[in-house]
Amino acid sequence: MGAGAGTDATTLHHALVSSLQPQVAAVFFASAACTLALAVLLASMRLRPPWWCACTVCEAYLTASWTGEFDNLCDWFAHLLRRDPGRTVHVHVLGNVLTANPATVEHMLRGRFDNYPKGAPFSAILADFLGRGIFNVDGDAWLFQRKLAAAELAAPAIRAFAASVVASELRCRLIPLLHSASSGQSGEKLLDLQDVFRRFAFDCICRISFGLDPGCLELSLPMSAFADAFDTASMLSARRATAPMHVLWKLKRLLNIGDERELRDAIGLVDDLAAEVIRQRRKLGSATSGDDLLSRFMGSINDDKYLRDIVVSFMLAGRDTVASALTAFFLLLSDHPHVADAIRDEVSRVSGELSDDQQPTIAASDALKDMHYVHAALHECMRLFPPVQFDSKFAAGEDTLPDGTPVARGTRVTYHAYAMGRMESVWGPDCAEFRPERWLSGGRFVPESPYRYPVFQGGVRVCIGKELAIMEMKAAIVAVVQSFDVETVGRSSRRPKFAPGLTATFAGGVPVRVRQRCSAG
């Protein structure tokens, strides 16, 4: 009896030990991992690894103490760059040299172009979103896409097709929408102008790029799932670049948690919808006229994933940048009504007065080219509010910048277009003023050096869609300003607040009140 009881006790003991082994092992493993992590942290604090820096700039960045004085990171960077004699600062914790020096911009984009590619670190940040698209590759892949896109965008058929799409969107959607908003009984109906222009630009680029019409400019409809996913992917991809250590977002991506899980879901939706668009275009085959960019690219590319990457890159360039610039333009115009009056005077001289039914003229491309003041006002807007506030390259080899700043191999070097537009050393003591006349000589537009004004980049990588984008923006400005006064409500161009993203977006939107103008007669 006693022996049996002893055997049972022994068996129970072994069973209990066996059942606890996984838990004990897990606790031991967790303790060991924590101990190792603590040791690495302590060692890192003693050794001060490359990503650690206690300088005032890095401390302000890591602690976000700059937010006590500045609403936006770009404004803080502009402040730092203005203070530096060489207009160049080093944010060590980001491994990033920032510059607002035109000589340095020219050095990067022209003089030492081969030494400043996009680079592998940049490509890694945007690879999930942009893939092998033109904005995320270097070398032969970039050159192939650039030559192909440049040839297509220069084709008279594409330019005529794009102009007809923009005119249709203005005449049939944007202008009627603004008429509706201005004719409310209370006169107090507000529009989010940023939302309106994002929808307008999205419709235009989808029709130009895909030959398909999402119909987003119907405000009664929600933004398409594609557009929402695109916004999310853009915002979260940009957030990766702000992390002091890229290993942090890479770890979250590996574990599929937090922002990275949301980013993966958004990109998955972009992929699915882009693939469906490509399938639909392939099904149409010879039935399509082939005027849209996607149809024309299909003549040279059979890889659907590659097509997806190219199309998404064109979407980013053709939708977000146009919407950003147009929103900023009317924000500035609300603060400077005399500029709107000057635009109307020029439009009347070039295109004639409004008709009796107050329908604005949708200016033809030739007429738009003769509107030098409109051109100047648009460029002045983008000087102060560039759609892409900064652009980064990664040094392929060691270098010394024109101001004497040494650059180690692998360093991220960023020219800051937003800060450059606010430099007295570049634009004079009135650099903070919205003054279109600075671009005119004898009433004609005079361009600036792209290295003083790198809104469209410069050198070999100058934006190939520049002319198309300017045509679209000028056409929208002329059509809207002729018939409407647009007054911002609760916002000013003096102290904007930006949301994170790959392009400049105003946080919280731009609410406006639209009023239809009375006939000149």
Side-chain angles (χ1 to χ4, degrees), residues 33-68:
C34 290
T35 302
L36 179 62
L38 180 61
V40 169
L41 178 62
L42 292 172
S44 298
M45 292 175 66
R46 287 197 303 271
L47 296 175
R48 289 197 173 183
W51 50 263
W52 176 269
C53 180
C55 74
T56 55
V57 170
C58 293
E59 181 182 1
Y61 180 83
L62 289 172
T63 62
S65 61
W66 58 267
T67 58

PDB file of all heavy atoms in Angstrom, residues 33-68:
ATOM      1  N   ALA A  33      16.300  37.084 -22.337  1.00  0.00           N
ATOM      2  CA  ALA A  33      16.166  38.098 -23.383  1.00  0.00           C
ATOM      3  C   ALA A  33      16.189  39.493 -22.783  1.00  0.00           C
ATOM      4  O   ALA A  33      16.829  40.409 -23.319  1.00  0.00           O
ATOM      5  CB  ALA A  33      14.881  37.872 -24.171  1.00  0.00           C
ATOM      6  N   CYS A  34      15.481  39.672 -21.655  1.00  0.00           N
ATOM      7  CA  CYS A  34      15.452  40.985 -20.994  1.00  0.00           C
ATOM      8  C   CYS A  34      16.838  41.371 -20.486  1.00  0.00           C
ATOM      9  O   CYS A  34      17.258  42.521 -20.587  1.00  0.00           O
ATOM     10  CB  CYS A  34      14.458  40.972 -19.841  1.00  0.00           C
ATOM     11  SG  CYS A  34      12.737  40.899 -20.390  1.00  0.00           S
ATOM     12  N   THR A  35      17.537  40.380 -19.926  1.00  0.00           N
ATOM     13  CA  THR A  35      18.887  40.635 -19.427  1.00  0.00           C
ATOM     14  C   THR A  35      19.823  41.043 -20.561  1.00  0.00           C
ATOM     15  O   THR A  35      20.598  41.993 -20.442  1.00  0.00           O
ATOM     16  CB  THR A  35      19.444  39.380 -18.739  1.00  0.00           C
ATOM     17  OG1 THR A  35      18.575  39.003 -17.662  1.00  0.00           O
ATOM     18  CG2 THR A  35      20.842  39.628 -18.184  1.00  0.00           C
ATOM     19  N   LEU A  36      19.708  40.313 -21.678  1.00  0.00           N
ATOM     20  CA  LEU A  36      20.536  40.638 -22.841  1.00  0.00           C
ATOM     21  C   LEU A  36      20.204  42.029 -23.385  1.00  0.00           C
ATOM     22  O   LEU A  36      21.104  42.817 -23.698  1.00  0.00           O
ATOM     23  CB  LEU A  36      20.325  39.586 -23.935  1.00  0.00           C
ATOM     24  CG  LEU A  36      21.109  39.810 -25.244  1.00  0.00           C
ATOM     25  CD1 LEU A  36      22.614  39.780 -24.970  1.00  0.00           C
ATOM     26  CD2 LEU A  36      20.734  38.748 -26.270  1.00  0.00           C
ATOM     27  N   ALA A  37      18.903  42.341 -23.460  1.00  0.00           N
ATOM     28  CA  ALA A  37      18.495  43.649 -23.960  1.00  0.00           C
ATOM     29  C   ALA A  37      19.007  44.761 -23.055  1.00  0.00           C
ATOM     30  O   ALA A  37      19.464  45.807 -23.524  1.00  0.00           O
ATOM     31  CB  ALA A  37      16.972  43.705 -24.069  1.00  0.00           C
ATOM     32  N   LEU A  38      18.935  44.534 -21.730  1.00  0.00           N
ATOM     33  CA  LEU A  38      19.419  45.529 -20.778  1.00  0.00           C
ATOM     34  C   LEU A  38      20.926  45.728 -20.938  1.00  0.00           C
ATOM     35  O   LEU A  38      21.430  46.859 -20.901  1.00  0.00           O
ATOM     36  CB  LEU A  38      19.080  45.099 -19.354  1.00  0.00           C
ATOM     37  CG  LEU A  38      19.519  46.061 -18.229  1.00  0.00           C
ATOM     38  CD1 LEU A  38      18.833  47.411 -18.416  1.00  0.00           C
ATOM     39  CD2 LEU A  38      19.178  45.466 -16.866  1.00  0.00           C
ATOM     40  N   ALA A  39      21.638  44.618 -21.139  1.00  0.00           N
ATOM     41  CA  ALA A  39      23.087  44.707 -21.315  1.00  0.00           C
ATOM     42  C   ALA A  39      23.444  45.478 -22.573  1.00  0.00           C
ATOM     43  O   ALA A  39      24.349  46.324 -22.575  1.00  0.00           O
ATOM     44  CB  ALA A  39      23.688  43.297 -21.375  1.00  0.00           C
ATOM     45  N   VAL A  40      22.703  45.201 -23.651  1.00  0.00           N
ATOM     46  CA  VAL A  40      22.959  45.913 -24.906  1.00  0.00           C
ATOM     47  C   VAL A  40      22.655  47.400 -24.740  1.00  0.00           C
ATOM     48  O   VAL A  40      23.399  48.261 -25.224  1.00  0.00           O
ATOM     49  CB  VAL A  40      22.098  45.310 -26.048  1.00  0.00           C
ATOM     50  CG1 VAL A  40      22.147  46.212 -27.287  1.00  0.00           C
ATOM     51  CG2 VAL A  40      22.569  43.910 -26.384  1.00  0.00           C
ATOM     52  N   LEU A  41      21.552  47.717 -24.040  1.00  0.00           N
ATOM     53  CA  LEU A  41      21.183  49.106 -23.828  1.00  0.00           C
ATOM     54  C   LEU A  41      22.247  49.832 -23.019  1.00  0.00           C
ATOM     55  O   LEU A  41      22.645  50.954 -23.355  1.00  0.00           O
ATOM     56  CB  LEU A  41      19.830  49.185 -23.116  1.00  0.00           C
ATOM     57  CG  LEU A  41      19.314  50.591 -22.783  1.00  0.00           C
ATOM     58  CD1 LEU A  41      19.114  51.384 -24.074  1.00  0.00           C
ATOM     59  CD2 LEU A  41      18.009  50.516 -21.999  1.00  0.00           C
ATOM     60  N   LEU A  42      22.711  49.182 -21.932  1.00  0.00           N
ATOM     61  CA  LEU A  42      23.745  49.803 -21.101  1.00  0.00           C
ATOM     62  C   LEU A  42      25.034  50.003 -21.884  1.00  0.00           C
ATOM     63  O   LEU A  42      25.693  51.044 -21.782  1.00  0.00           O
ATOM     64  CB  LEU A  42      23.995  48.956 -19.854  1.00  0.00           C
ATOM     65  CG  LEU A  42      22.844  48.912 -18.827  1.00  0.00           C
ATOM     66  CD1 LEU A  42      23.143  47.895 -17.734  1.00  0.00           C
ATOM     67  CD2 LEU A  42      22.611  50.297 -18.227  1.00  0.00           C
ATOM     68  N   ALA A  43      25.383  48.996 -22.688  1.00  0.00           N
ATOM     69  CA  ALA A  43      26.593  49.119 -23.504  1.00  0.00           C
ATOM     70  C   ALA A  43      26.444  50.232 -24.522  1.00  0.00           C
ATOM     71  O   ALA A  43      27.379  50.999 -24.782  1.00  0.00           O
ATOM     72  CB  ALA A  43      26.881  47.793 -24.211  1.00  0.00           C
ATOM     73  N   SER A  44      25.250  50.321 -25.097  1.00  0.00           N
ATOM     74  CA  SER A  44      25.000  51.371 -26.087  1.00  0.00           C
ATOM     75  C   SER A  44      25.130  52.757 -25.464  1.00  0.00           C
ATOM     76  O   SER A  44      25.671  53.681 -26.065  1.00  0.00           O
ATOM     77  CB  SER A  44      23.603  51.211 -26.692  1.00  0.00           C
ATOM     78  OG  SER A  44      23.497  49.982 -27.361  1.00  0.00           O
ATOM     79  N   MET A  45      24.613  52.881 -24.233  1.00  0.00           N
ATOM     80  CA  MET A  45      24.688  54.173 -23.563  1.00  0.00           C
ATOM     81  C   MET A  45      26.135  54.544 -23.249  1.00  0.00           C
ATOM     82  O   MET A  45      26.504  55.713 -23.281  1.00  0.00           O
ATOM     83  CB  MET A  45      23.849  54.154 -22.285  1.00  0.00           C
ATOM     84  CG  MET A  45      22.340  54.046 -22.545  1.00  0.00           C
ATOM     85  SD  MET A  45      21.356  53.890 -21.057  1.00  0.00           S
ATOM     86  CE  MET A  45      21.646  55.488 -20.312  1.00  0.00           C
ATOM     87  N   ARG A  46      26.971  53.510 -22.924  1.00  0.00           N
ATOM     88  CA  ARG A  46      28.372  53.790 -22.632  1.00  0.00           C
ATOM     89  C   ARG A  46      29.141  54.141 -23.898  1.00  0.00           C
ATOM     90  O   ARG A  46      29.953  55.053 -23.927  1.00  0.00           O
ATOM     91  CB  ARG A  46      29.029  52.584 -21.953  1.00  0.00           C
ATOM     92  CG  ARG A  46      28.610  52.369 -20.516  1.00  0.00           C
ATOM     93  CD  ARG A  46      29.592  51.451 -19.798  1.00  0.00           C
ATOM     94  NE  ARG A  46      29.724  50.167 -20.479  1.00  0.00           N
ATOM     95  CZ  ARG A  46      28.947  49.105 -20.234  1.00  0.00           C
ATOM     96  NH1 ARG A  46      27.995  49.195 -19.323  1.00  0.00           N
ATOM     97  NH2 ARG A  46      29.138  47.970 -20.876  1.00  0.00           N
ATOM     98  N   LEU A  47      28.859  53.379 -24.983  1.00  0.00           N
ATOM     99  CA  LEU A  47      29.640  53.535 -26.210  1.00  0.00           C
ATOM    100  C   LEU A  47      29.120  54.636 -27.120  1.00  0.00           C
ATOM    101  O   LEU A  47      29.821  55.065 -28.031  1.00  0.00           O
ATOM    102  CB  LEU A  47      29.644  52.198 -26.982  1.00  0.00           C
ATOM    103  CG  LEU A  47      30.322  51.029 -26.262  1.00  0.00           C
ATOM    104  CD1 LEU A  47      30.148  49.761 -27.090  1.00  0.00           C
ATOM    105  CD2 LEU A  47      31.801  51.320 -26.031  1.00  0.00           C
ATOM    106  N   ARG A  48      27.882  55.074 -26.873  1.00  0.00           N
ATOM    107  CA  ARG A  48      27.250  56.075 -27.726  1.00  0.00           C
ATOM    108  C   ARG A  48      27.388  55.706 -29.204  1.00  0.00           C
ATOM    109  O   ARG A  48      28.253  56.210 -29.914  1.00  0.00           O
ATOM    110  CB  ARG A  48      27.838  57.467 -27.484  1.00  0.00           C
ATOM    111  CG  ARG A  48      27.425  58.025 -26.141  1.00  0.00           C
ATOM    112  CD  ARG A  48      27.651  59.521 -26.065  1.00  0.00           C
ATOM    113  NE  ARG A  48      27.097  60.053 -24.829  1.00  0.00           N
ATOM    114  CZ  ARG A  48      27.094  61.326 -24.506  1.00  0.00           C
ATOM    115  NH1 ARG A  48      27.631  62.191 -25.347  1.00  0.00           N
ATOM    116  NH2 ARG A  48      26.562  61.727 -23.392  1.00  0.00           N
ATOM    117  N   PRO A  49      26.555  54.797 -29.666  1.00  0.00           N
ATOM    118  CA  PRO A  49      26.631  54.338 -31.053  1.00  0.00           C
ATOM    119  C   PRO A  49      26.336  55.465 -32.031  1.00  0.00           C
ATOM    120  O   PRO A  49      25.928  56.562 -31.630  1.00  0.00           O
ATOM    121  CB  PRO A  49      25.535  53.256 -31.121  1.00  0.00           C
ATOM    122  CG  PRO A  49      24.600  53.601 -30.025  1.00  0.00           C
ATOM    123  CD  PRO A  49      25.417  54.212 -28.941  1.00  0.00           C
ATOM    124  N   PRO A  50      26.524  55.208 -33.352  1.00  0.00           N
ATOM    125  CA  PRO A  50      26.400  56.280 -34.339  1.00  0.00           C
ATOM    126  C   PRO A  50      25.065  57.016 -34.317  1.00  0.00           C
ATOM    127  O   PRO A  50      25.011  58.181 -34.668  1.00  0.00           O
ATOM    128  CB  PRO A  50      26.601  55.530 -35.676  1.00  0.00           C
ATOM    129  CG  PRO A  50      27.406  54.328 -35.317  1.00  0.00           C
ATOM    130  CD  PRO A  50      26.950  53.937 -33.949  1.00  0.00           C
ATOM    131  N   TRP A  51      23.980  56.288 -33.942  1.00  0.00           N
ATOM    132  CA  TRP A  51      22.688  56.954 -33.984  1.00  0.00           C
ATOM    133  C   TRP A  51      22.425  57.814 -32.759  1.00  0.00           C
ATOM    134  O   TRP A  51      21.409  58.500 -32.687  1.00  0.00           O
ATOM    135  CB  TRP A  51      21.556  55.930 -34.149  1.00  0.00           C
ATOM    136  CG  TRP A  51      21.603  54.781 -33.192  1.00  0.00           C
ATOM    137  CD1 TRP A  51      22.126  53.563 -33.422  1.00  0.00           C
ATOM    138  CD2 TRP A  51      21.101  54.753 -31.854  1.00  0.00           C
ATOM    139  NE1 TRP A  51      22.002  52.749 -32.319  1.00  0.00           N
ATOM    140  CE2 TRP A  51      21.361  53.456 -31.332  1.00  0.00           C
ATOM    141  CE3 TRP A  51      20.459  55.677 -31.033  1.00  0.00           C
ATOM    142  CZ2 TRP A  51      21.018  53.079 -30.041  1.00  0.00           C
ATOM    143  CZ3 TRP A  51      20.109  55.308 -29.744  1.00  0.00           C
ATOM    144  CH2 TRP A  51      20.383  54.017 -29.264  1.00  0.00           C
ATOM    145  N   TRP A  52      23.348  57.780 -31.779  1.00  0.00           N
ATOM    146  CA  TRP A  52      23.156  58.569 -30.560  1.00  0.00           C
ATOM    147  C   TRP A  52      23.904  59.893 -30.685  1.00  0.00           C
ATOM    148  O   TRP A  52      25.033  59.948 -31.155  1.00  0.00           O
ATOM    149  CB  TRP A  52      23.673  57.807 -29.344  1.00  0.00           C
ATOM    150  CG  TRP A  52      23.587  58.625 -28.078  1.00  0.00           C
ATOM    151  CD1 TRP A  52      24.541  59.442 -27.561  1.00  0.00           C
ATOM    152  CD2 TRP A  52      22.461  58.719 -27.211  1.00  0.00           C
ATOM    153  NE1 TRP A  52      24.089  60.036 -26.420  1.00  0.00           N
ATOM    154  CE2 TRP A  52      22.810  59.615 -26.169  1.00  0.00           C
ATOM    155  CE3 TRP A  52      21.190  58.143 -27.205  1.00  0.00           C
ATOM    156  CZ2 TRP A  52      21.943  59.933 -25.140  1.00  0.00           C
ATOM    157  CZ3 TRP A  52      20.330  58.463 -26.177  1.00  0.00           C
ATOM    158  CH2 TRP A  52      20.712  59.345 -25.164  1.00  0.00           C
ATOM    159  N   CYS A  53      23.260  60.966 -30.257  1.00  0.00           N
ATOM    160  CA  CYS A  53      23.925  62.268 -30.268  1.00  0.00           C
ATOM    161  C   CYS A  53      23.277  63.148 -29.208  1.00  0.00           C
ATOM    162  O   CYS A  53      22.060  63.147 -29.052  1.00  0.00           O
ATOM    163  CB  CYS A  53      23.813  62.921 -31.636  1.00  0.00           C
ATOM    164  SG  CYS A  53      24.607  64.545 -31.714  1.00  0.00           S
ATOM    165  N   ALA A  54      24.113  63.893 -28.488  1.00  0.00           N
ATOM    166  CA  ALA A  54      23.603  64.759 -27.431  1.00  0.00           C
ATOM    167  C   ALA A  54      23.680  66.233 -27.810  1.00  0.00           C
ATOM    168  O   ALA A  54      23.501  67.100 -26.956  1.00  0.00           O
ATOM    169  CB  ALA A  54      24.395  64.520 -26.136  1.00  0.00           C
ATOM    170  N   CYS A  55      23.908  66.534 -29.106  1.00  0.00           N
ATOM    171  CA  CYS A  55      23.956  67.941 -29.507  1.00  0.00           C
ATOM    172  C   CYS A  55      22.561  68.555 -29.379  1.00  0.00           C
ATOM    173  O   CYS A  55      21.555  67.851 -29.314  1.00  0.00           O
ATOM    174  CB  CYS A  55      24.503  68.086 -30.926  1.00  0.00           C
ATOM    175  SG  CYS A  55      23.350  67.603 -32.233  1.00  0.00           S
ATOM    176  N   THR A  56      22.501  69.871 -29.374  1.00  0.00           N
ATOM    177  CA  THR A  56      21.221  70.550 -29.114  1.00  0.00           C
ATOM    178  C   THR A  56      20.189  70.240 -30.203  1.00  0.00           C
ATOM    179  O   THR A  56      18.998  70.093 -29.902  1.00  0.00           O
ATOM    180  CB  THR A  56      21.432  72.072 -29.024  1.00  0.00           C
ATOM    181  OG1 THR A  56      22.088  72.522 -30.218  1.00  0.00           O
ATOM    182  CG2 THR A  56      22.295  72.426 -27.819  1.00  0.00           C
ATOM    183  N   VAL A  57      20.624  70.126 -31.462  1.00  0.00           N
ATOM    184  CA  VAL A  57      19.689  69.847 -32.550  1.00  0.00           C
ATOM    185  C   VAL A  57      19.093  68.456 -32.385  1.00  0.00           C
ATOM    186  O   VAL A  57      17.870  68.262 -32.463  1.00  0.00           O
ATOM    187  CB  VAL A  57      20.381  69.979 -33.919  1.00  0.00           C
ATOM    188  CG1 VAL A  57      19.478  69.460 -35.041  1.00  0.00           C
ATOM    189  CG2 VAL A  57      20.768  71.429 -34.181  1.00  0.00           C
ATOM    190  N   CYS A  58      19.949  67.470 -32.142  1.00  0.00           N
ATOM    191  CA  CYS A  58      19.468  66.091 -32.014  1.00  0.00           C
ATOM    192  C   CYS A  58      18.619  65.907 -30.762  1.00  0.00           C
ATOM    193  O   CYS A  58      17.622  65.185 -30.774  1.00  0.00           O
ATOM    194  CB  CYS A  58      20.650  65.124 -32.006  1.00  0.00           C
ATOM    195  SG  CYS A  58      21.517  65.059 -33.593  1.00  0.00           S
ATOM    196  N   GLU A  59      19.023  66.567 -29.682  1.00  0.00           N
ATOM    197  CA  GLU A  59      18.231  66.478 -28.452  1.00  0.00           C
ATOM    198  C   GLU A  59      16.843  67.067 -28.668  1.00  0.00           C
ATOM    199  O   GLU A  59      15.837  66.494 -28.244  1.00  0.00           O
ATOM    200  CB  GLU A  59      18.937  67.209 -27.313  1.00  0.00           C
ATOM    201  CG  GLU A  59      18.176  67.127 -25.995  1.00  0.00           C
ATOM    202  CD  GLU A  59      18.849  67.892 -24.871  1.00  0.00           C
ATOM    203  OE1 GLU A  59      19.900  68.514 -25.118  1.00  0.00           O
ATOM    204  OE2 GLU A  59      18.313  67.869 -23.748  1.00  0.00           O
ATOM    205  N   ALA A  60      16.777  68.207 -29.376  1.00  0.00           N
ATOM    206  CA  ALA A  60      15.480  68.830 -29.654  1.00  0.00           C
ATOM    207  C   ALA A  60      14.625  67.933 -30.543  1.00  0.00           C
ATOM    208  O   ALA A  60      13.408  67.847 -30.368  1.00  0.00           O
ATOM    209  CB  ALA A  60      15.688  70.185 -30.325  1.00  0.00           C
ATOM    210  N   TYR A  61      15.268  67.250 -31.494  1.00  0.00           N
ATOM    211  CA  TYR A  61      14.517  66.360 -32.379  1.00  0.00           C
ATOM    212  C   TYR A  61      13.977  65.162 -31.601  1.00  0.00           C
ATOM    213  O   TYR A  61      12.794  64.818 -31.712  1.00  0.00           O
ATOM    214  CB  TYR A  61      15.402  65.873 -33.527  1.00  0.00           C
ATOM    215  CG  TYR A  61      14.680  64.939 -34.474  1.00  0.00           C
ATOM    216  CD1 TYR A  61      13.884  65.441 -35.491  1.00  0.00           C
ATOM    217  CD2 TYR A  61      14.756  63.554 -34.325  1.00  0.00           C
ATOM    218  CE1 TYR A  61      13.192  64.598 -36.358  1.00  0.00           C
ATOM    219  CE2 TYR A  61      14.074  62.697 -35.177  1.00  0.00           C
ATOM    220  CZ  TYR A  61      13.290  63.225 -36.187  1.00  0.00           C
ATOM    221  OH  TYR A  61      12.601  62.369 -37.021  1.00  0.00           O
ATOM    222  N   LEU A  62      14.838  64.524 -30.799  1.00  0.00           N
ATOM    223  CA  LEU A  62      14.437  63.312 -30.083  1.00  0.00           C
ATOM    224  C   LEU A  62      13.387  63.592 -29.016  1.00  0.00           C
ATOM    225  O   LEU A  62      12.492  62.774 -28.785  1.00  0.00           O
ATOM    226  CB  LEU A  62      15.666  62.653 -29.456  1.00  0.00           C
ATOM    227  CG  LEU A  62      16.643  61.995 -30.432  1.00  0.00           C
ATOM    228  CD1 LEU A  62      17.903  61.548 -29.702  1.00  0.00           C
ATOM    229  CD2 LEU A  62      15.994  60.803 -31.133  1.00  0.00           C
ATOM    230  N   THR A  63      13.482  64.735 -28.363  1.00  0.00           N
ATOM    231  CA  THR A  63      12.534  65.064 -27.293  1.00  0.00           C
ATOM    232  C   THR A  63      11.333  65.848 -27.811  1.00  0.00           C
ATOM    233  O   THR A  63      10.395  66.107 -27.047  1.00  0.00           O
ATOM    234  CB  THR A  63      13.227  65.899 -26.206  1.00  0.00           C
ATOM    235  OG1 THR A  63      13.680  67.145 -26.780  1.00  0.00           O
ATOM    236  CG2 THR A  63      14.413  65.149 -25.604  1.00  0.00           C
ATOM    237  N   ALA A  64      11.371  66.234 -29.099  1.00  0.00           N
ATOM    238  CA  ALA A  64      10.307  67.037 -29.709  1.00  0.00           C
ATOM    239  C   ALA A  64      10.133  68.378 -28.999  1.00  0.00           C
ATOM    240  O   ALA A  64       9.044  68.963 -29.026  1.00  0.00           O
ATOM    241  CB  ALA A  64       8.989  66.277 -29.739  1.00  0.00           C
ATOM    242  N   SER A  65      11.199  68.879 -28.380  1.00  0.00           N
ATOM    243  CA  SER A  65      11.092  70.165 -27.692  1.00  0.00           C
ATOM    244  C   SER A  65      10.901  71.320 -28.667  1.00  0.00           C
ATOM    245  O   SER A  65      10.424  72.395 -28.282  1.00  0.00           O
ATOM    246  CB  SER A  65      12.341  70.411 -26.837  1.00  0.00           C
ATOM    247  OG  SER A  65      13.501  70.461 -27.643  1.00  0.00           O
ATOM    248  N   TRP A  66      11.242  71.098 -29.948  1.00  0.00           N
ATOM    249  CA  TRP A  66      11.050  72.140 -30.960  1.00  0.00           C
ATOM    250  C   TRP A  66       9.572  72.511 -31.118  1.00  0.00           C
ATOM    251  O   TRP A  66       9.252  73.609 -31.582  1.00  0.00           O
ATOM    252  CB  TRP A  66      11.622  71.696 -32.312  1.00  0.00           C
ATOM    253  CG  TRP A  66      11.034  70.425 -32.852  1.00  0.00           C
ATOM    254  CD1 TRP A  66      11.511  69.161 -32.673  1.00  0.00           C
ATOM    255  CD2 TRP A  66       9.845  70.292 -33.647  1.00  0.00           C
ATOM    256  NE1 TRP A  66      10.697  68.237 -33.309  1.00  0.00           N
ATOM    257  CE2 TRP A  66       9.677  68.909 -33.918  1.00  0.00           C
ATOM    258  CE3 TRP A  66       8.925  71.191 -34.161  1.00  0.00           C
ATOM    259  CZ2 TRP A  66       8.607  68.422 -34.667  1.00  0.00           C
ATOM    260  CZ3 TRP A  66       7.854  70.714 -34.919  1.00  0.00           C
ATOM    261  CH2 TRP A  66       7.709  69.347 -35.162  1.00  0.00           C
ATOM    262  N   THR A  67       8.677  71.609 -30.724  1.00  0.00           N
ATOM    263  CA  THR A  67       7.245  71.875 -30.878  1.00  0.00           C
ATOM    264  C   THR A  67       6.766  72.998 -29.967  1.00  0.00           C
ATOM    265  O   THR A  67       5.671  73.531 -30.161  1.00  0.00           O
ATOM    266  CB  THR A  67       6.413  70.612 -30.602  1.00  0.00           C
ATOM    267  OG1 THR A  67       6.697  70.143 -29.274  1.00  0.00           O
ATOM    268  CG2 THR A  67       6.750  69.513 -31.599  1.00  0.00           C
ATOM    269  N   GLY A  68       7.567  73.372 -28.987  1.00  0.00           N
ATOM    270  CA  GLY A  68       7.186  74.484 -28.126  1.00  0.00           C
ATOM    271  C   GLY A  68       7.192  75.811 -28.854  1.00  0.00           C
ATOM    272  O   GLY A  68       6.517  76.763 -28.437  1.00  0.00           O
TER     273      GLY A  68
END
